[in-house]
C-alpha cells in the first residue's frame, strides 16, 4: 500500500481517529530489528489491539481476514510467517456463530501451535481491548487470549505439532497489520496496537487499561495509537523508533 493512502484509513463512522481497513488492500508495514528479536524462537511476548466490533470481518479473500502477521503467509517450509492472527468463518460468512479468531505460531509451514476462540471475544458496536500472550512453551497451552484484561476461556479449537520449536524468523520479515501483501486483507477498524517482550498477566493488562502507559514501561517494544492524527507515518510511542508506514 502506498503510504499516502494512510490518510484514507481514518475515515470510519465510529471515530475519525482510528484506522479503517476496507477488506481490499489496506496494510500497515512495520520493519523493526527490535520486533524481529522479540518474535523469534521461544521468546515470550504479548500483543494487544483495540478493535471495533463488527458484524462482518470478511475481506476480499471471501470470508477470512488477517489482523496482523509477522511475515507473509506460510506457503512453504522454506519461508513461513512466524505469527498470524486471523478471522475465519467456517464456510458461511452470514452465520455469526461460525466466526472464529485464530492465533498461529509457526516453526515451519507444517509445524505450529494454534488456539482459536469464538467471535464472542468481540462485543458488537463498541471498542474491544484484546491481548494475546505467549509464554514461550511448545504447546497451544502457551497461548492465552484476554478480553478487557480478563482471561477468555471460551476456546473453540487448539492444535500443537509434536515438533514445534518456537517462532520461525529466518530471514526476518516485516510485521503487517490489516492483512498480508495480496493475501487475506481484513475489514474493520483498529484504534491501537502494542507489543511487549514479556508474557503479561491479567493484573498487568488491567493496570495498563486503567492507568495508561508511559514510554518507559518495562518490556514495551512498540506502541502505536492510531488516533494520534493524520499523516503518512504512524509514530511508535514507545520511544523505540518502530515507526509504521
Amino acid at each position: 500500500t502506498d503510504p499516502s493512502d494512510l490518510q484514507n484509513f481514518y475515515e470510519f463512522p465510529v471515530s475519525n481517529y482510528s484506522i479503517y481497513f476496507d477488506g481490499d488492500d489496506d496494510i500497515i508495514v512495520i520493519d523493526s530489528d527490535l520486533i524481529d528479536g522479540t518474535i523469534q524462537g521461544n521468546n515470550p511476548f504479548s500483543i494487544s489491539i483495540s478493535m471495533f466490533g463488527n458484524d462482518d470481518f470478511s475481506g476480499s479473500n471471501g470470508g477470512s481476514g488477517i489482523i496482523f502477521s509477522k511475515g507473509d503467509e506460510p506457503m512453504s517450509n522454506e519461508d513461513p510467517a512466524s505469527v498470524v492472527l486471523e478471522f475465519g468463518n467456517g464456510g458461511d460468512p452470514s452465520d455469526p456463530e461460525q466466526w472464529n479468531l485464530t492465533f498461529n505460531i509457526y516453526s515451519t509451514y507444517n509445524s505450529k501451535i494454534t488456539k482459536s476462540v469464538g467471535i464472542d471475544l468481540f462485543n458488537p458496536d463498541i471498542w474491544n481491548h484484546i491481548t494475546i500472550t505467549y509464554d514461550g512453551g511448545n504447546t497451544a497451552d502457551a497461548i492465552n487470549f484476554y478480553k478487557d484484561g480478563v482471561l477468555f476461556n471460551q476456546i473453540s479449537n487448539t492444535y500443537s505439532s509434536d515438533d514445534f520449536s518456537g517462532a520461525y524468523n529466518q530471514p526476518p520479515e516485516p510485521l503487517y497489520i490489516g492483512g498480508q501483501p495480496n493475501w487475506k486483507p481484513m475489514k474493520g477498524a483498529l484504534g491501537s496496537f502494542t507489543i511487549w517482550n514479556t508474557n503479561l498477566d491479567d493484573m498487568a493488562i488491567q493496570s495498563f487499561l486503567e492507568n495508561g502507559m508511559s514510554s518507559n514501561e518495562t518490556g514495551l517494544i512498540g506502541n502505536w495509537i492510531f488516533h494520534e492524527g493524520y499523516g503518512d507515518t504512524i509514530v511508535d510511542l514507545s520511544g523505540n523508533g518502530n515507526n509504521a508506514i
Side-chain angles (χ1 to χ4, degrees), residues 13 96 142 153 182 216 227 229:
N153 285 319
N182 304 311
N216 61 354
H227 58 257

Side-chain angles (χ1 to χ4, degrees), residues 61-119:
N61 195 64
S64 60
I66 290 173
I67 299 178
F68 66 82
S69 173
K70 181 69 168 60
D72 291 342
E73 177 68 13
M75 301 304 293
S76 72
N77 286 330
E78 296 178 358
D79 190 17
S82 52
V83 299
V84 180
L85 178 68
E86 65 180 307
F87 288 106
N89 61 30
D92 185 1
S94 65
D95 183 1
E97 297 299 322
Q98 293 196 37
W99 282 95
N100 60 73
L101 184 67
T102 299
F103 187 60
N104 298 297
I105 305 179
Y106 290 89
S107 290
T108 68
Y109 177 64
N110 294 311
S111 176
K112 65 179 181 177
I113 57 175
T114 295
K115 183 170 282 188
S116 299
V117 297
I119 206 64

Side-chain angles (χ1 to χ4, degrees), residues 155-209:
I155 308 304
S156 58
N157 184 56
T158 63
Y159 175 79
S160 303
S161 298
D162 291 338
D163 58 349
F164 178 81
S165 58
Y168 180 87
N169 195 32
Q170 294 296 328
E173 293 186 286
L175 174 69
Y176 300 104
I177 302 175
Q180 295 173 342
N182 304 311
W183 184 250
K184 293 186 178 181
M186 67 163 275
K187 184 177 182 180
L190 295 177
S192 64
F193 191 98
T194 310
I195 301 177
W196 290 265
N197 65 2
T198 185
N199 175 36
L200 297 177
D201 60 17
D202 54 354
M203 293 183 64
I205 298 169
Q206 290 169 15
S207 176
F208 291 136
L209 290 175

Side-chain angles (χ1 to χ4, degrees), residues 16-143:
N16 289 329
Y17 301 104
S18 58
I19 293 183
Y20 178 67
F21 298 85
D22 64 7
D24 187 11
D25 60 358
D26 296 337
I27 298 175
I28 295 172
V29 181
I30 306 171
D31 204 346
S32 162
D33 292 341
L34 192 56
I35 297 175
D36 291 340
T38 298
I39 304 178
Q40 68 172 352
N42 292 96
N43 294 339
F45 61 84
S46 302
I47 297 176
S48 292
I49 62 172
S50 60
M51 186 168 182
F52 196 76
N54 272 347
D55 290 328
D56 179 14
F57 293 100
S58 59
S60 62
N61 195 64
S64 60
I66 290 173
I67 299 178
F68 66 82
S69 173
K70 181 69 168 60
D72 291 342
E73 177 68 13
M75 301 304 293
S76 72
N77 286 330
E78 296 178 358
D79 190 17
S82 52
V83 299
V84 180
L85 178 68
E86 65 180 307
F87 288 106
N89 61 30
D92 185 1
S94 65
D95 183 1
E97 297 299 322
Q98 293 196 37
W99 282 95
N100 60 73
L101 184 67
T102 299
F103 187 60
N104 298 297
I105 305 179
Y106 290 89
S107 290
T108 68
Y109 177 64
N110 294 311
S111 176
K112 65 179 181 177
I113 57 175
T114 295
K115 183 170 282 188
S116 299
V117 297
I119 206 64
D120 289 342
L121 184 70
F122 290 92
N123 292 331
D125 302 323
I126 65 171
W127 286 96
N128 298 267
H129 186 275
I130 307 301
T131 300
I132 302 101
T133 66
Y134 169 62
D135 69 11
N138 286 328
T139 70
D141 290 339
I143 300 170

